[in-house]
Amino acid sequence: MPLKIPTAACLRPRHVSRTAVHSFIVGRSQFTTSAPNAFGLRPKRVSSSGSPVLLEASRAAALARRQLPDRTGALAYKTGMTAIYTPEGVRIPCTVLQLDRVQVTAVKDRKTHGYWAVQVGLGWRNPKNVTRPMLGHYENCGVAPKKLLREFRVKDEKGLLSPGTQIKADHFLVGQFVDVRANSKGKGFAGGMKRWGWSGQPASHGNSLTHRAMGSAGQSQGGGSRVLPGKRMAGRMGGEQHTVQNLKVLKVQPELGIVVVSGCVSGPKGCVVELQDAIKKPMPVIS
Amino acid sequence: MTAAASAPLRRPLLSLLRGSFPAAATKRTLVQLPPAPSSLPRKIGMFAQPKVFHSPRPAHTPRRRIRIHPPIAAPATKDAIGALTSLQLATLDPTGARGRLFSRHNHDAIRVGDILQVRRKNGEPPFAGVLINIRRRGVDTAFLLRGQVTRVGVEVWFKLYSPTIEAVELVQRAAKRKKRAKLYYMRKPQHDIGNVQNIVAQYTRQRAMLRGEGKKAAHAPKGGQQHHKEKK
């Protein structure tokens, strides 16, 4: 949305009279759904799923559309990879994550902040190395200074937890699916083959000195004699956030803070990962 | 001002700028300096002026003491993988016999170059070959055997603690300790040991004989260590 609307304005019903600026925005939003062009009236805001229903352009509607888990997630350290044998003798490669003193430090709500979220802290930091403003924050929520804070968005106010609540490993159920997010290992300045998976050029058949080059960056005169924006090239690779979706929880050990998930997770050993209920799988049923 | 007067006459402006400081000080000579006039401040700068506080809090009052809560109990161990491994081994290898087979602390452990036979639970025929690599990774420990199947050289990785493995039998020890941890050179034709079926058949015959005599040594092959003691 090009113009920023105050939160209170979009919460109000449409028929309430407002200032000229607000009525202009509301009036315009009715026309942004379709725009005249050479092919007649064509909708502009449509769902990516291909549904013919036009998307409503309001912050409340956008929040309702957003895929979010019901519950908060947790922070953990990636301990490393190992394997687990099922009772049938099937070996499953897995990643071991350890939750270290994970506690809720704050909540954000729709009314004040515009969305619902839970702020979660991990580990412990020496208060000597914490600034006074942050110490005040920890004092308010009643927890010891944390190594790291992260925010987990939740669907609605039912997902909020009171500050000070500890999130243990049994927050996750064996058999449920989680999305795990972490910073990937940095690879430095990488060539196109490594960064984008290109095949490169042949090793022989008269090829000389050009085996891992990126090839052409585009057409010449017919293509506008320019490199299109977003052209994949060599550059910095890794060291950015990466989410692995739908990892199955294989084992949970609350007293050791261990959550074992199937498969691999981005990042080196010892890195901090965020894990939350998978958004593309049914939510776990808490009995 | 006496000091200014003693400064060289050709640099009057510089001596003026120096003010009350004596020229001798700039020359770094051991001359007893006259005391500076007490009416002029020795230092001109922020230290000489009173501090200005922009906070609504009045100056020199102590800051509010922030309450710091004690941390909650940390997890029992930092070695999560070690804890998980011992937990799994309690069911996968309750006696610890398999672990001892490839343990670094066991002098009679299996080493690379030995010939092993692996029996499996899934009904596949036992596989025999020379041990060319041991990958020690806790519960994920594995070893690589190189043998022959229908005259074709075959290498198979076995997971030591896999429940599908029934037994790991030591068929023959290497004559001499190998000087490498990984015997990948045995893939080359001049080093390839080839078919080990004859050695395995001889071992099976010996074992059957021992078993027929009703000796306790019938249990030996599984452990491997006892087999070695017989040789001694």
Side-chain angles (χ1 to χ4, degrees):
Chain A
M1 204 175 285
L3 251 150
K4 200 174 177 185
I5 311 173
T7 316
C10 49
L11 279 175
R12 257 182 264 147
R14 289 262 163 105
H15 60 265
V16 178
S17 64
R18 268 157 289 183
T19 59
V21 175
H22 288 152
S23 57
F24 164 68
I25 291 163
V26 169
R28 206 178 57 118
S29 73
Q30 287 164 355
F31 291 103
T32 48
T33 51
S34 58
N37 60 12
F39 305 101
L41 272 179
R42 219 168 65 163
K44 277 175 85 178
R45 294 185 66 90
V46 289
S47 164
S48 58
S49 64
S51 162
V53 180
L54 298 181
L55 300 182
E56 192 194 334
S58 74
R59 200 168 270 197
L63 195 71
R65 275 199 297 271
R66 181 148 181 147
Q67 277 187 314
L68 287 170
D70 290 346
R71 307 188 301 156
T72 175
L75 291 170
Y77 290 115
K78 175 179 168 180
T79 316
M81 286 195 74
T82 181
I84 271 188
Y85 288 100
T86 64
E88 297 80 39
V90 179
R91 175 182 170 273
I92 305 172
C94 58
T95 307
V96 182
L97 309 172
Q98 194 172 30
L99 276 68
D100 178 15
R101 291 165 276 187
V102 181
Q103 281 176 295
V104 176
T105 50
V107 291
K108 296 202 166 180
D109 62 9
R110 177 86 174 88
K111 199 176 172 190
T112 320
H113 308 95
Y115 58 95
W116 289 286
V118 180
Q119 193 191 58
V120 170
L122 170 79
W124 178 77
R125 190 188 284 274
N126 192 338
K128 184 170 77 72
N129 302 327
V130 181
T131 59
R132 277 181 66 85
M134 284 315 291
L135 283 178
H137 177 62
Y138 292 121
E139 183 191 33
N140 278 345
C141 54
V143 301
K146 290 287 172 191
K147 190 92 187 162
L148 185 98
L149 297 177
R150 282 281 189 284
E151 213 174 271
F152 290 96
R153 286 190 65 171
V154 290
K155 189 110 188 119
D156 50 26
E157 71 276 3
K158 279 178 280 183
L160 301 182
L161 298 171
S162 58
T165 312
Q166 188 182 1
I167 299 174
K168 291 187 174 177
D170 53 7
H171 179 76
F172 300 100
L173 310 178
V174 174
Q176 81 159 97
F177 291 88
V178 288
D179 294 342
V180 182
R181 184 171 294 136
N183 281 349
S184 58
K185 283 184 187 173
K187 303 290 179 191
F189 192 97
M193 279 181 71
K194 183 172 179 174
R195 197 176 179 207
W196 301 110
W198 296 334
S199 335
Q201 290 81 36
S204 66
H205 293 288
N207 208 338
S208 141
L209 304 180
T210 310
H211 303 290
R212 298 182 63 89
M214 66 172 282
S216 169
Q219 308 94 314
S220 71
Q221 220 174 359
S225 299
R226 68 193 180 102
V227 177
L228 296 176
K231 174 79 192 88
R232 296 186 295 183
M233 290 186 179
R236 285 278 183 94
M237 181 182 171
E240 59 191 359
Q241 198 180 71
H242 181 233
T243 309
V244 187
Q245 290 185 321
N246 304 336
L247 295 182
K248 199 172 191 178
V249 175
L250 301 176
K251 209 176 187 58
V252 160
Q253 291 268 309
E255 69 279 6
L256 299 175
I258 292 176
V259 175
V260 182
V261 295
S262 66
C264 44
V265 168
S266 294
K269 283 177 204 164
C271 74
V272 174
V273 302
E274 303 171 22
L275 62 162
Q276 197 167 15
D277 298 338
I279 54 168
K280 291 186 181 169
K281 292 277 184 183
M283 293 294 161
V285 181
I286 312 292
S287 54
Chain B
M1 283 298 116
T2 52
S6 69
L9 284 169
R10 57 189 168 192
R11 296 164 76 186
L13 187 62
L14 188 67
S15 57
L16 264 175
L17 278 172
R18 278 179 186 151
S20 65
F21 293 98
T26 58
K27 286 178 183 169
R28 293 181 182 274
T29 49
L30 291 168
V31 174
Q32 194 69 35
L33 301 178
S38 59
S39 59
L40 288 168
R42 289 293 294 170
K43 281 183 177 175
I44 297 170
M46 59 183 291
F47 298 106
Q49 290 152 13
K51 283 185 181 175
V52 178
F53 290 94
H54 299 288
S55 157
R57 184 164 53 85
H60 305 302
T61 53
R63 296 207 284 187
R64 184 179 76 88
R65 192 170 172 190
I66 297 177
R67 195 169 155 227
I68 294 165
H69 297 271
I72 54 172
T77 176
K78 271 195 166 182
D79 181 18
I81 292 211
L84 197 69
T85 301
S86 52
L87 196 79
Q88 280 196 280
L89 290 186
T91 54
L92 293 172
D93 186 23
T95 59
R98 284 196 189 184
R100 273 195 297 280
L101 275 185
F102 289 91
S103 167
R104 283 188 204 275
H105 305 294
N106 181 9
H107 285 287
D108 298 324
I110 295 171
R111 289 188 184 150
V112 287
D114 297 352
I115 294 171
L116 304 184
Q117 188 183 32
V118 176
R119 284 189 277 127
R120 288 172 276 193
K121 282 181 188 166
N122 55 5
E124 287 180 43
F127 185 84
V130 60
L131 178 66
I132 61 173
N133 189 3
I134 304 171
R135 189 188 277 163
R136 293 186 179 87
R137 302 279 189 284
V139 77
D140 217 15
T141 297
F143 53 95
L144 179 62
L145 295 188
R146 179 175 175 84
Q148 273 193 349
V149 175
T150 63
R151 289 190 179 181
V152 178
V154 171
E155 287 181 7
V156 184
W157 275 106
F158 290 101
K159 295 288 178 187
L160 178 60
Y161 297 108
S162 170
T164 57
I165 288 183
E166 193 184 338
V168 181
E169 299 175 29
L170 176 59
V171 174
Q172 191 186 59
R173 285 211 178 264
K176 214 174 143 191
R177 190 185 73 86
K178 302 293 179 188
K179 292 187 176 178
R180 276 146 190 74
K182 298 177 191 345
L183 310 182
Y184 287 139
Y185 63 85
M186 295 188 93
R187 291 168 176 170
K188 291 183 179 172
Q190 69 265 35
H191 296 290
D192 198 351
I193 200 163
N195 199 344
V196 294
Q197 281 311 312
N198 290 338
I199 305 167
V200 174
Q202 194 190 351
Y203 157 78
T204 318
R205 235 179 292 126
Q206 263 187 357
R207 216 182 63 168
M209 209 165 63
L210 288 170
R211 195 179 278 164
E213 285 171 20
K215 282 190 178 178
K216 278 186 180 177
H219 302 288
K222 197 167 180 182
Q225 305 96 322
Q226 291 168 23
H227 186 82
H228 185 65
K229 276 172 194 163
E230 279 170 25
K231 276 182 151 182
K232 280 178 184 172

